[in-house]
Amino acid sequence: QVNGVAELHSNILKEELFADYLSIWPKKFQNKTNGITPRRWLRFCNPELSEIVTKWLKTDQWTSNLDLLTGLRKFADDEKLHAEWAAAKLASKKRLAKHVLDVTGITIDPNSLFDIQIKRIHEYKRQLMNILGAVYRYKKLKEMSAEERQKVTPRTVMVGGKAFATYTNAKRIVKLVNDVGAVVNNDADVNKYLKVVFIPNYNVSVAEVLIPGSELSQHISTAGMEASGTSNMKFSLNGCVIIGTLDGANVEIREEVGQDNFFLFGAKADQIAGLRKERENGLFKPDPRFEEAKQFIRSGAFGTYDYTPLLDSLEGNTGFGRGDYFLVGYDFPSYIEAQARVDEAYKDKKKWIKMSILNTAGSGKFSSDRTIDQYAKEIWGISACPVP
């Protein structure tokens, strides 16, 4: 048997990578969308929210039958649930703020929007787009009057993850996040409205603090490049709203939680090859906002380190380490526009909490219990051996 780990991934394997193989043995191909364990990724790491879920569902059986979470949908507008949900989220945000202070010395405001991207540092996962977005946001804040700034949604952008030892551009991205943070966080004009933090030594234990405390989570890989992703499932389960592309399991998460409860942007998987071809043919016209963000970094605003090799990866039309293979430039305008929609939505606390509840309520499909059950029945041909 050959199986992909998310619907989109399985389709790409069948249509592209193994098309010849599929024509001979079509029955050998299956899809098994990944899952996560609700025991660790909600019950254990987010006790406050877990207690609320159990109270409103009137059972704790959701820990072994995650589909029961759909029962929260009927309370999505309930003011009492909203108040409890907001209190649980604030407790998780305060715990996260304490962790950030302990490990970085940076003070962050639990009343700001906590925006988190934690995953392996890689060009296809586009932490570079995230930090370019933060640079653009910082530049716009600097250009505003004090009165204009007061209307802005305050935001704390956190990035965490490990870069492989010899992956130079990944290392440069880590340095850039730190350098941008050093300037932004110490700028008295704007640091009430924006902080940028690199979370060091990312691992599962750190994720158990970050994920419950997150409100917006970035899953922004170039469409067609992420096999599935599972941290996206962990974030949704904890009532976090995703900003993302139609890539990996994002596609299915958006279907389950509802498209109104997901901030979508970017090119789709079937457009990518054509967009790369257009770029090779010199037809790409960069958005002025994209140029502005890159230029601001090149100006030395964030210190003396030479980011030319990193920024050069986004320039030119083709060639190794050039030509923006991961389409940061193409997706940047729709990314910035999606972030503006996030800012507006967050101002409406009632709307945001409802989105949060509906993300948790729609996460049932993403239990690893379901995944393993499908492997057992459809691939391994084995049945469960329950503990007596």
Side-chain angles (χ1 to χ4, degrees), residues 20-29:
D20 295 344
Y21 195 164
L22 179 79
S23 66
I24 306 168
W25 290 291
K27 292 201 172 82
K28 277 189 180 285
F29 286 80

Side-chain angles (χ1 to χ4, degrees), residues 123-270:
E123 286 163 288
Y124 90 79
K125 293 178 187 282
R126 300 198 294 191
Q127 287 92 350
L128 184 52
M129 182 153 69
N130 184 349
I131 196 64
L132 282 168
V135 164
Y136 182 76
R137 180 178 288 264
Y138 173 60
K139 187 168 186 291
K140 295 297 116 184
L141 278 164
K142 286 296 279 180
E143 290 164 3
M144 285 178 193
S145 67
E147 295 73 46
E148 287 172 318
R149 282 183 202 134
Q150 282 167 8
K151 296 178 193 150
V152 166
T153 301
R155 187 184 289 230
T156 304
V157 177
M158 293 172 247
V159 177
K162 293 186 174 161
F164 189 72
T166 56
Y167 189 175
T168 317
N169 262 358
K171 297 279 187 184
R172 288 185 182 116
I173 290 165
V174 173
K175 177 154 177 60
L176 181 58
V177 177
N178 280 288
D179 284 353
V180 171
V183 171
V184 173
N185 303 341
N186 293 301
D187 187 328
D189 290 340
V190 305
N191 63 12
K192 282 212 297 284
Y193 307 102
L194 180 63
K195 291 258 174 92
V196 175
V197 181
F198 186 81
I199 307 285
N201 301 318
Y202 174 59
N203 60 25
V204 169
S205 303
V206 173
E208 288 168 353
V209 179
L210 285 163
I211 290 168
S214 179
E215 292 172 289
L216 180 77
S217 177
Q218 304 212 27
H219 299 274
I220 57 177
S221 49
T222 313
M225 299 208 71
E226 186 70 75
S228 161
T230 51
S231 73
N232 46 4
M233 303 169 184
K234 295 166 191 170
F235 281 101
S236 273
L237 180 62
N238 282 271
C240 179
V241 187
I242 290 175
I243 180 169
T245 50
L246 281 181
D247 195 29
N250 279 2
V251 177
E252 292 159 81
I253 290 173
R254 184 168 171 264
E255 282 170 8
E256 295 293 317
V257 305
Q259 58 188 35
D260 293 343
N261 305 305
F262 185 108
F263 292 97
L264 179 68
F265 74 95
K268 297 183 173 66
D270 60 4

Side-chain angles (χ1 to χ4, degrees), residues 244-310:
T245 50
L246 281 181
D247 195 29
N250 279 2
V251 177
E252 292 159 81
I253 290 173
R254 184 168 171 264
E255 282 170 8
E256 295 293 317
V257 305
Q259 58 188 35
D260 293 343
N261 305 305
F262 185 108
F263 292 97
L264 179 68
F265 74 95
K268 297 183 173 66
D270 60 4
Q271 297 174 271
I272 302 299
L275 289 166
R276 285 187 180 136
K277 201 85 210 135
E278 278 180 25
R279 177 98 191 205
E280 280 177 29
N281 295 331
L283 299 173
F284 173 66
K285 298 268 185 298
D287 188 272
R289 293 166 288 187
F290 180 56
E291 297 301 291
E292 202 177 334
K294 289 184 298 179
Q295 188 47 44
F296 198 42
I297 295 168
R298 290 187 196 273
S299 75
F302 303 104
T304 55
Y305 183 81
D306 183 10
Y307 282 106
T308 306
L310 178 62

